[in-house]
Amino acid sequence: MLDERKASILRAVVEEYIQTAQPVGSGHVADAPGVSVSSATVRNEMAALENEGFLAQPHTSAGRIPTEKGYRYFVDALTQPSLDRSSAQQVRAFFDHAHGEIEQMLADTTRLLTGLTDYAAVVVGPPHEVAVVRSVQLVSLAPSVALFVAVLGNGAVEKRTIELDQDLDEAVLSAAAEHLSARGIGFPLAALATSPAATDAATESVAAQVRRNLAAAVDDAEHVFVNGASRISASFEAVETVRSVLTILEQQLVVVTLLRDVVDRGLNVAIGSETGMQPLADCALVVAPYSIDGEQVGTVGVLGPTRMNYPQALAAV
């Protein structure tokens, strides 16, 4: 545990480095709010913080930069962060007008988060296959083509185009929709793929096509929404680091596993090696789970450099 003076000096170094990305000298720290000691005292305390692993000196005679340990202390010492008035108004306006399909809302959420933080935003959506079905419809698109629509309990809308074996009229489609509704509403979407057959041959022909379509697509995969990946390139000088981070963001399963692992470890901020992924050694991830109707179903997060603006990122997420 650091004493109050060391803590205020470390906080000043972290805040200055977040703003400038340049090693921080004792002169800047001595003038920082909350640090009321001489430059000589600051130099001595910064040397002590370096010895304790909170700061590092990239070059002789250069200033100091925070280490992972330094960032972790800074984050853990933060009080409840809050958005500035302008950002808070943006969030309120977003939710005042947010409605419709959850996929669109989650995609819009990533754009909002990127705009608020200037980092890459990631949202893991709820897996459709385990969500409870609220309603089922079959709509004719062409004589032998129908649109299967299922409204799910988590707010998602599942749509599948069904190619039928023969031309069918609206009465048969309606009968098939009623049959699927009777055996699907109140159960997970995956259960529809194994629902009992209908007694009427024409109705069963349509229902069987729907079941086959659902069975072929059920994989329990979460839907991942990413926005602002291009912002990563401005955060790092090393091209290889940018390439590695962008590659990870393109891999849906890796993103889901990463966010889930951080949340399962009880963290809301993972810094550098805490992400558990070597390519993200120079990155930090801020995450939070979200719930629908009281059930935790997904995760929201932002990915940026270790020198990210943690108070802003935490407040935004």
Side-chain angles (χ1 to χ4, degrees), residues 17-21 71 119 234-235 282 284 304-310:
Y17 188 65
I18 286 172
Q19 292 295 321
T20 66
Y71 284 124
Y119 305 129
S235 301
D282 295 321
T306 51
R307 63 174 194 86
M308 72 159 55
N309 185 333
Y310 291 100

Side-chain angles (χ1 to χ4, degrees), residues 67-80:
T67 61
E68 276 188 29
K69 184 178 179 180
Y71 284 124
R72 170 49 62 190
Y73 188 93
F74 174 80
V75 169
D76 291 345
L78 287 172
T79 54
Q80 184 64 36

Side-chain angles (χ1 to χ4, degrees), residues 94 101-113 122-126 128 154 223-227 290 292 297-300:
F94 173 81
E101 296 183 21
I102 192 170
E103 288 91 347
Q104 187 59 54
M105 290 175 63
L106 296 181
D108 291 343
T109 297
T110 61
R111 285 191 285 274
L112 174 67
L113 270 176
V122 180
V123 175
V124 178
H128 288 189
N154 61 16
H223 298 246
V224 178
F225 304 86
V226 178
N227 193 270
Y290 67 89
I292 296 177
V297 294
T299 314
V300 178

Side-chain angles (χ1 to χ4, degrees), residues 173-229:
L173 282 180
S174 178
E178 288 182 17
H179 171 77
L180 292 168
S181 294
R183 286 149 183 82
I185 292 177
F187 294 94
L189 180 63
L192 270 178
T194 58
S195 60
T199 54
D200 177 72
T203 301
E204 173 55 19
S205 175
V206 176
Q209 286 293 104
V210 172
R211 286 196 293 270
R212 283 194 288 271
N213 186 289
L214 290 173
V218 167
D219 58 6
D220 287 330
E222 288 93 340
H223 298 246
V224 178
F225 304 86
V226 178
N227 193 270

Side-chain angles (χ1 to χ4, degrees), residues 152-168:
L152 309 181
N154 61 16
V157 179
E158 187 76 7
K159 300 175 185 175
R160 304 283 172 83
T161 300
I162 311 295
E163 295 186 4
L164 305 171
D165 296 331
Q166 58 186 351
D167 293 356
L168 295 172

